[in-house]
Amino acid sequence: GRYGRRLNVWDWSSHRYVQAIDVGEDSAPLEIRFLHDPDASEGFVGCTISSAIHRFYKTQNGDWAAEKVIQVPSKKVQGWLLPEMPGFITDILISMDDRFLYFSNWMHGDVRQYDISDTREPKLVGQVFLGGSVTKGGPVTVCEDEELQSQPDPFVIQGKKVAGGPQMLQLSLDGKRLYVTTSLYSAWDRQFYPDLIRDGAVMLQLDVDTERGGLRVNPKFLVDFGKEPRGPCLAHEMRYPG
């Protein structure tokens, strides 16, 4: 009971609390995203602690329900706060055409792209590592990993080793450029990524394959918030005009 576990449904017109949807103890549901199709009564929510994505939808009876459609497995580790490290999903978004779902694993250090043409069966089509807590040469040793054969290399761009992990996301309207920042919340930054406080956050750009799926870092794009005139900054939200 330390973290939230429910999605709360409200009726906007009457301001009435309608229903709670339970997505699991200590799941910590965070970001909620509806499909853009105005006729679609469904969407996805990212659960931070449980590192799961749930699809929520309106049923034929008129109420709401949810089902887990993606689970990021935890990694068994040494040298970290707990013996198992969750992916720690902190941001999700859906492309304007409702074809792709993106989310960031702030602890594991990867951004993922899923094809959601079938919203009940998302398919992983793109993944890139941009730092995180399980990179080679760091204090954490991965003892058991269901997904990777070895720990990823530290992420370096234009000679800068990036501190922290991928966090907030923003997608261009044409769906071809995915922007990423690395700061979550200063207290948690300080606890999990102290180098982020010292070096500042960054903004990165990923090139997106909108035909077949796929993500690739743009090596020419780096906004370094560690070089601000009054000292390092922790970049978070990004927004397009309009």
Side-chain angles (χ1 to χ4, degrees), residues 1-232:
R2 294 164 295 179
Y3 296 95
R5 59 183 295 167
R6 301 188 304 179
L7 308 184
N8 297 300
V9 183
W10 291 77
D11 185 315
W12 280 120
S13 58
S14 65
H15 298 177
R16 184 173 58 91
Y17 181 65
V18 177
Q19 182 188 346
I21 305 172
D22 193 333
V23 290
E25 184 178 1
D26 283 352
S27 54
L30 190 60
E31 302 284 0
I32 294 173
R33 300 286 183 258
F34 278 86
L35 295 181
H36 295 91
D37 179 357
D39 295 324
S41 298
E42 65 176 313
F44 297 90
V45 58
C47 297
T48 309
I49 304 296
S50 63
S51 299
I53 300 289
H54 292 254
R55 168 185 171 261
F56 61 86
Y57 58 96
K58 197 169 188 177
T59 72
Q60 293 181 343
N61 296 326
D63 61 349
W64 293 81
E67 60 180 350
K68 184 166 67 174
V69 291
I70 300 171
Q71 177 66 62
V72 177
S74 296
K75 301 179 189 297
K76 293 185 178 180
V77 296
Q78 292 180 343
W80 195 64
L81 178 69
L82 299 169
E84 292 194 7
M85 181 189 292
F88 215 76
I89 298 171
T90 52
D91 196 17
I92 70 171
L93 61 79
I94 298 172
S95 61
M96 293 296 292
D97 61 2
D98 289 339
R99 185 181 168 197
F100 294 114
L101 168 73
Y102 301 87
F103 67 80
S104 54
N105 285 311
W106 194 56
M107 288 298 177
H108 289 178
D110 59 315
V111 174
R112 300 189 182 203
Q113 177 192 25
Y114 283 79
D115 187 323
I116 55 169
S117 300
D118 180 350
T119 55
R120 300 193 67 178
E121 295 287 343
K123 293 181 173 56
L124 180 63
V125 292
Q127 184 180 26
V128 63
F129 280 84
L130 305 171
S133 294
V134 295
T135 55
K136 293 177 181 176
V140 175
T141 300
V142 178
C143 307
E144 188 175 320
D145 193 330
E146 293 182 27
E147 297 184 309
L148 302 179
Q149 298 298 316
S150 62
Q151 294 180 232
D153 293 321
F155 179 68
V156 179
I157 182 170
Q158 298 182 21
K160 179 183 177 69
K161 181 181 178 182
V162 172
Q167 210 281 103
M168 296 306 290
L169 305 173
Q170 184 62 271
L171 187 67
S172 61
L173 298 181
D174 63 4
K176 295 182 179 180
R177 299 178 309 283
L178 182 65
Y179 295 91
V180 186
T181 54
T182 51
S183 171
L184 174 56
Y185 172 57
S186 60
W188 288 1
D189 292 348
R190 188 173 292 108
Q191 179 179 0
F192 293 108
Y193 294 117
D195 289 351
L196 192 59
I197 304 295
R198 182 194 67 205
D199 298 340
V202 299
M203 182 165 70
L204 307 167
Q205 180 194 309
L206 306 181
D207 294 326
V208 180
D209 185 335
T210 57
E211 297 296 326
R212 295 167 297 179
L215 299 172
R216 184 174 60 87
V217 177
N218 181 347
K220 297 181 180 180
F221 187 100
L222 171 66
V223 181
D224 186 352
F225 291 93
K227 296 182 178 180
E228 291 296 298
R230 296 188 180 183

